[in-house]
Amino acid sequence: MRRSNLPAELNRFVGRDDELAELERLLGEFRLVTVTGMGGVGKSRLAARAASTAEKRYCDGVRLVELAPLRDPELLEQALLDALGLTDHTRRPPREVLAEHLAGRRLLLVLDGFEHLVDDLAGLVRELLRRSPGLAVLAAARRPLRLDGEAVMPLAPLPDDDAVRLFTDRAAAVAPGLRPAPEDAGAVRELCRRLDGIPLAVELAAGRLPVLSVEQMLHRLDDRFRLLTGGVRGAPPRHRTLRTAIGWSHELCTPRERLVWARLSVFAGPFDLDAVEYVCGGPDLPPDEVLDVLAGLVAQSVVHREETPAGVRYRMLDTVRAYGAEWLTALDDEERMRRRHRDWYMGLASWCELEWFSPRQAEVAACADSALPNLRAALELCLEAPDEAHLAQHLAATLWFSWVGCGRLAEGRHWLDRAVRSDPRPGSRHDEARLRALWVLGYVAVLQGDDTAAMAALYECGEGAARTGNALAGAYTTHRLGCLALLSDDMPRAEELLSRALIAYRELGELNSQVLMGQVELAMTKVFLGDLESAVALCREVREICQDRGERWTRAYALYVLAYAAWTRGEHGEARELLGECIAIDHAFNDLVGLVLAIELLALVTAGEGDPAEAAVLQGAAAPMWEAVGLPLFGSGYFGAPRALCERQAGEALGAERFRSCLAEGGALPKDEAVARALAGRRPVDGVPSPRGRGARAGLTRRSRRTAR
């Protein structure tokens, strides 16, 4: 994991030397510091700059959590887990996972834009600070958290000189050939003074320079002050100034730019051009003309463009978005636009699910991650109306690839539970959506080790499938029950259910990543029953299909089984090569289940190659991952056999003391470093015998059977 997830600065940081020094001083004396101030005053930018400067103080780095797009307080802990790069498949409360992770670390957590969540966030921050002595929190919002020990730093607007510097710097960026002339210095200073030195207002004014001179801006600003300053009763003068500056910039937009500004307010978090064209386009604005309008808003700093792993994305500052939302309400178009937004992201989710079974899997993962705030907004809208619960069920189920394949089980469980509870009536005309949500819920619950919830959801799904004649839902139910039996060490039942599900899939013509995963799960079952030949044949077929389709996620699990079989034949080189590809894929998709199983098997291969010390290090590196996956779920019985045998071999070769030391070395490795170490492929140590052929196979088989018993 990178030491910091702070975004790169897109333009020059201007002024604030005294404030930065004061903020650094406060961070040295207090564990909780909150920068407060009105919208647009520069709280987020100052906090990010101070965090970047202070990063060297925190050996475990700095993590930024942007909370402005989040609307559901129940996802607060999940937002922090995401920012920390933590994945947890267990049923432990997310707050407990956070506290355990932070307890022994020295880390700076930056929380930004939480005004609407302050009450819920305050309790979480209090508990994390109490349980994590090395944790410091730097917060930026319009309101403080009001906790004991909190140092509050109110942020004032820029002084005149810094405001002028900011205007000049931004003007040079938007209009290099139209910089204010020296004789305009007085007018620029007056303009910045009229804008009260509010950075957002100054930047918006600089964005008008290609269209208006400084003198023209001053005259127009006079007009807007007379029109708007009295429009917000009870608002502080500077709040009225910001509103005036935004309103003035709004007034100077073309009618189409104002229309798109209002419509863009329905987006939460980043959005792409395709989404804007669909959501904001219409008879009054053809989609093929949206790009030019959006470019105009970017040029005026109303919308910001950024590069992301998913490609080019756009976003609006929360203050600017809120202004657009007021206009959308005034236009009486909010409900229609929210529904268009919802419809686009339901379509995007369906596209992602289809493309998941293709060479675009990595692109789909990045796209879904970038779209997550907007997908949440779409789910919330579906859940607001009881008669649209089926849409929430459909969307939550469609996103199974993100919940399961990209390490978001806890969030998936949250939405699936809510969607299923929102319409508990069976027998409606929307049975298909509900049945789909039920078997996906059962799948997620199985992977979380919640057997009771899994059985309840799958039992209801099976009954509903039989009642409605939905053979596909019945096949998925049988599949997930087989998966539950596999993880419960009931191999004969797992073999029977998984075989039956695969027959049903073939009869129905169903082929996708989940179907192939069922074939891999059947292969695992056969491995544990001692039928290696059948297991290898099943996984070779999966690998070939994945090769043809460009599918990588399921391919990784097939490689794991093939590597397991190669190890039992004493073919360590082949096993290492297979596991290397498997680990790289699992790490790319943040699939901790596949990753930890592969690393533990690689540890056993490494011990067999004659390097017990490195095997113990890899074994130790797997331990923190098991905490997130849930050791009792995948770590006992048949799945635990490689760990038990590696522990025996490496422990005997190294001795108890050195074995424990190597385990501790591996346990201290961050996940990224552990993966890099696993992929490095160290050479065997001379002089240590390597078990080969039948001896290796027999040792594992006997051990796995003893462990299972």
Side-chain angles (χ1 to χ4, degrees):
M1 184 177 72
R2 293 189 298 133
R3 282 179 44 79
S4 166
N5 67 339
L6 295 171
E9 292 186 328
L10 300 179
N11 48 31
R12 198 161 64 92
F13 188 87
V14 177
R16 299 292 196 195
D17 294 339
D18 293 341
E19 289 92 336
L20 273 172
E22 174 63 8
L23 195 48
E24 289 179 25
R25 183 190 69 79
L26 291 173
L27 283 171
E29 296 182 13
F30 296 88
R31 294 178 57 211
L32 172 60
V33 181
T34 302
V35 181
T36 62
M38 59 173 292
V41 80
K43 302 180 296 294
S44 301
R45 188 71 184 267
L46 180 70
R49 169 55 72 99
S52 178
T53 303
E55 181 179 341
K56 57 184 176 293
R57 298 185 195 171
Y58 303 93
C59 57
D60 291 301
V62 176
R63 309 305 289 180
L64 169 66
V65 190
E66 295 182 294
L67 295 171
L70 191 67
R71 290 292 174 264
D72 187 347
E74 293 185 25
L75 293 175
L76 261 176
E77 288 93 343
Q78 187 61 47
L80 268 65
L81 288 171
D82 290 344
L84 291 166
L86 295 178
T87 301
D88 188 79
H89 288 335
T90 69
R91 288 178 289 158
R92 292 182 298 168
R95 185 169 299 201
E96 188 68 28
V97 177
L98 282 169
E100 287 183 10
H101 175 79
L102 294 171
R105 286 172 168 79
R106 183 168 175 78
L107 179 139
L108 176 63
L109 198 59
V110 183
L111 307 175
D112 186 31
F114 53 80
E115 297 87 354
H116 55 302
L117 301 166
V118 66
D119 294 333
D120 297 278
L121 183 63
L124 175 59
V125 170
R126 180 192 297 110
E127 183 172 349
L128 293 179
L129 287 171
R130 180 177 58 83
R131 299 178 61 178
S132 311
L135 174 67
V137 175
L138 173 56
R142 300 182 193 187
R143 301 167 54 192
L145 290 166
R146 301 194 184 282
L147 294 176
D148 291 340
E150 178 182 21
V152 179
M153 178 181 164
L155 186 62
L158 290 168
D160 289 350
D161 289 345
D162 283 348
V164 170
R165 287 172 55 204
L166 178 64
F167 180 89
T168 304
D169 182 85
R170 300 304 189 255
V174 298
L178 296 173
R179 298 187 184 189
E183 57 268 24
D184 291 331
V188 170
R189 182 173 293 273
E190 177 64 13
L191 177 63
C192 293
R193 187 187 66 77
R194 294 280 190 91
L195 295 172
D196 275 342
I198 300 169
L200 176 57
V202 172
E203 293 195 9
L204 288 172
R208 304 306 308 178
L209 199 57
V211 181
L212 300 171
S213 69
V214 178
E215 288 291 347
Q216 287 175 313
M217 282 191 269
L218 270 173
H219 288 308
R220 287 175 176 263
L221 188 59
D222 281 338
D223 292 340
R224 297 309 299 154
F225 266 128
R226 285 195 294 272
L227 181 63
L228 290 178
T229 49
V232 188
R233 296 183 184 275
R238 283 191 172 125
H239 284 264
R240 296 202 301 267
T241 300
L242 176 61
R243 184 176 177 82
T244 298
I246 297 176
W248 167 64
S249 190
H250 184 268
E251 185 81 2
L252 294 175
C253 288
T254 66
R256 286 189 167 188
E257 287 171 347
R258 291 198 293 268
L259 180 65
V260 171
W261 184 343
R263 291 177 175 176
L264 287 176
S265 68
V266 299
F267 287 95
F271 47 86
D272 64 6
L273 177 60
D274 289 340
V276 177
E277 288 177 335
Y278 176 85
V279 175
C280 299
D284 50 355
L285 180 62
D288 59 357
E289 298 179 15
V290 168
L291 175 58
D292 290 339
V293 180
L294 183 63
L297 293 173
V298 171
Q300 298 171 65
S301 300
V302 173
V303 174
H304 295 270
R305 179 186 185 276
E306 57 187 25
E307 297 284 346
T308 75
V312 174
R313 293 294 185 269
Y314 303 88
R315 68 165 68 235
M316 300 175 78
L317 293 178
D318 197 49
T319 307
V320 176
R321 187 203 64 79
Y323 190 91
E326 291 181 8
W327 277 94
L328 190 63
T329 301
L331 293 170
D332 196 25
D333 203 22
E334 182 181 9
E335 183 177 351
R336 185 180 73 89
M337 294 309 301
R338 289 184 70 197
R339 288 180 178 276
R340 284 183 68 82
H341 172 274
R342 187 267 317 276
D343 293 346
W344 170 262
Y345 283 98
M346 288 191 70
L348 179 69
S350 296
W351 175 85
C352 285
E353 184 188 29
L354 289 172
E355 291 298 319
W356 181 259
F357 190 49
S358 81
R360 304 177 74 172
Q361 242 178 8
E363 179 185 339
V364 166
C367 177
D369 184 65
S370 174
L372 187 59
N374 287 296
L375 290 166
R376 288 169 175 163
L379 283 161
E380 286 287 0
L381 180 60
C382 294
L383 290 167
E384 285 178 9
D387 60 341
E388 293 189 344
H390 63 288
L391 297 179
Q393 293 165 358
H394 173 80
L395 180 53
T398 299
L399 290 168
W400 70 266
F401 63 89
S402 182
W403 314 142
V404 175
C406 301
R408 293 189 176 277
L409 281 182
E411 178 157 358
R413 179 71 181 273
H414 168 81
W415 291 115
L416 288 160
D417 276 336
R418 286 186 62 187
V420 168
R421 288 198 310 267
S422 65
D423 183 15
R425 299 164 300 171
S428 73
R429 60 191 178 92
H430 302 301
D431 269 332
E432 184 174 348
R434 180 175 180 80
L435 293 177
R436 194 159 188 256
L438 283 169
W439 65 251
V440 175
L441 173 59
Y443 186 15
V444 169
V446 166
L447 295 177
Q448 286 187 306
D450 191 349
D451 294 359
T452 301
M455 284 297 296
L458 294 173
Y459 179 76
E460 181 183 345
C461 187
E463 279 196 329
R467 184 184 70 251
T468 60
N470 190 325
L472 189 59
Y476 277 108
T477 301
T478 303
H479 177 178
R480 298 309 167 204
L481 288 170
C483 182
L484 179 59
L486 171 64
L487 297 182
S488 302
D489 286 345
D490 188 350
M491 296 306 153
R493 178 165 171 76
E495 183 181 32
E496 185 262 323
L497 289 171
L498 291 168
S499 298
R500 184 150 39 104
L502 290 172
I503 291 171
Y505 288 144
R506 282 195 293 272
E507 291 174 349
L508 294 166
E510 185 81 348
L511 181 62
N512 53 38
S513 296
Q514 297 193 70
V515 172
L516 293 180
M517 185 63 79
Q519 190 161 330
V520 173
E521 289 160 353
L522 178 60
M524 287 182 178
T525 302
K526 290 187 177 295
V527 164
F528 296 141
L529 291 174
D531 187 359
L532 284 175
E533 186 176 346
S534 296
V536 168
L538 286 166
C539 285
R540 283 178 176 166
E541 182 182 1
V542 170
R543 184 169 61 174
E544 289 174 6
I545 296 173
C546 289
Q547 184 71 29
D548 290 341
R549 299 292 187 124
E551 210 278 1
R552 298 175 66 224
W553 176 64
T554 309
R555 174 184 173 89
Y557 283 89
L559 295 174
Y560 169 80
V561 176
L562 291 173
Y564 197 114
W567 183 88
T568 63
R569 297 192 299 268
E571 297 170 359
H572 297 129
E574 181 183 353
R576 176 174 289 279
E577 183 178 353
L578 292 166
L579 288 170
E581 184 181 353
C582 176
I583 289 170
I585 294 172
D586 288 329
H587 185 51
F589 286 111
N590 196 32
D591 186 343
L592 283 191
V593 174
L595 182 62
V596 72
L597 290 173
I599 287 178
E600 284 207 331
L601 183 55
L602 181 62
L604 180 56
V605 170
T606 303
E609 289 174 328
D611 192 349
E614 184 64 12
V617 170
L618 292 174
Q619 185 107 323
M625 299 180 199
W626 277 124
E627 294 177 8
V629 171
L631 184 61
L633 181 59
F634 287 92
S636 61
Y638 294 91
F639 284 99
R643 181 189 322 104
L645 185 55
C646 180
E647 181 177 343
R648 188 180 72 187
Q649 289 184 0
E652 290 175 356
L654 295 172
E657 184 175 349
R658 190 175 178 213
F659 179 68
R660 285 194 298 269
S661 175
C662 290
L663 285 177
E665 179 186 348
L669 292 174
K671 185 175 69 174
D672 289 352
E673 292 182 25
V675 169
R677 182 116 175 201
L679 296 178
R682 292 193 167 193
R683 298 179 63 83
V685 176
D686 293 335
V688 180
S690 172
R692 294 282 176 181
R694 292 185 58 194
R697 176 172 179 169
L700 177 59
T701 304
R702 286 194 299 270
R703 180 63 180 175
S704 64
R705 287 174 178 167
R706 286 199 301 271
T707 305
R709 285 198 295 270

